[in-house]
Amino acid sequence: MSTGIDYSTGKYGASESTDTLYMPFGVKYETGDWTLRATIPYVETSGPSSVSGAGADRVTLTNGQGTRRKETGLGDIVLTGSWSALQQGPWLVELGAKVKLATADENKGLGTGENDYSVQTEVYRTLDKHTLFGTLGYKKMGDPDGTDLKDPFYASLGWSFRASQASALGLSYDFRQKVQDGGAPIREVTGFVTHKLDPNWKLQGYLVSGYSNASPDLGGGVFVMYTY
């Protein structure tokens, strides 16, 4: 189980900033080669109404309204399933699928009001205390009324270092194709640190810097995870 708080701020191509608090509760269950996840978030956002959703599912609608508003409520619930297709030596390959359920109120700008579906492959390669990892995926976007969103490919590339038996740190780069002709792709760099408090509890903190109009200018978060 996991919970925490994520804060991000950015203009996303608008003249004013959008500030977002994203507070998810997550559950993960592992059985054999399968991993199942569910994330139920609470969202608080303040900014132009052209910015919809939060986190990895944030979308800037180029034909949206520009009036500023502050809204709170349930975000989009995300369900994920992955299968360990290969575990051999230092290599791990996982195949997965994700569904973003349109549980957020689109009239408040907390979501697009449509379901999204993704498939992806994740690859991990350990090198002593180092781990290289990458993701390649494809998302089928649901189209809000009056908007035709493109279905983007997305990818990430990262590195982590096990500094001790309890702590690790790393960097990752995330990219997603633009979802509208007048929009921008996602380009973000994340630095993170994790620390195991004991066999059951773990803390993670991170900072995010964005490099496009679809990414936040700055973000960060702290999460706590409990395993049993």
Side-chain angles (χ1 to χ4, degrees), residues 105-120:
D105 190 337
E106 63 177 312
N107 295 319
K108 292 183 176 181
L110 302 179
T112 63
E114 301 293 334
N115 296 343
D116 298 338
Y117 305 91
S118 305
V119 291
Q120 65 184 36

Side-chain angles (χ1 to χ4, degrees), residues 132-148:
L132 303 177
F133 56 91
T135 302
L136 179 63
Y138 175 78
K139 178 180 285 191
K140 174 65 178 176
M141 303 288 294
D143 294 326
D145 291 342
T147 304
D148 183 18

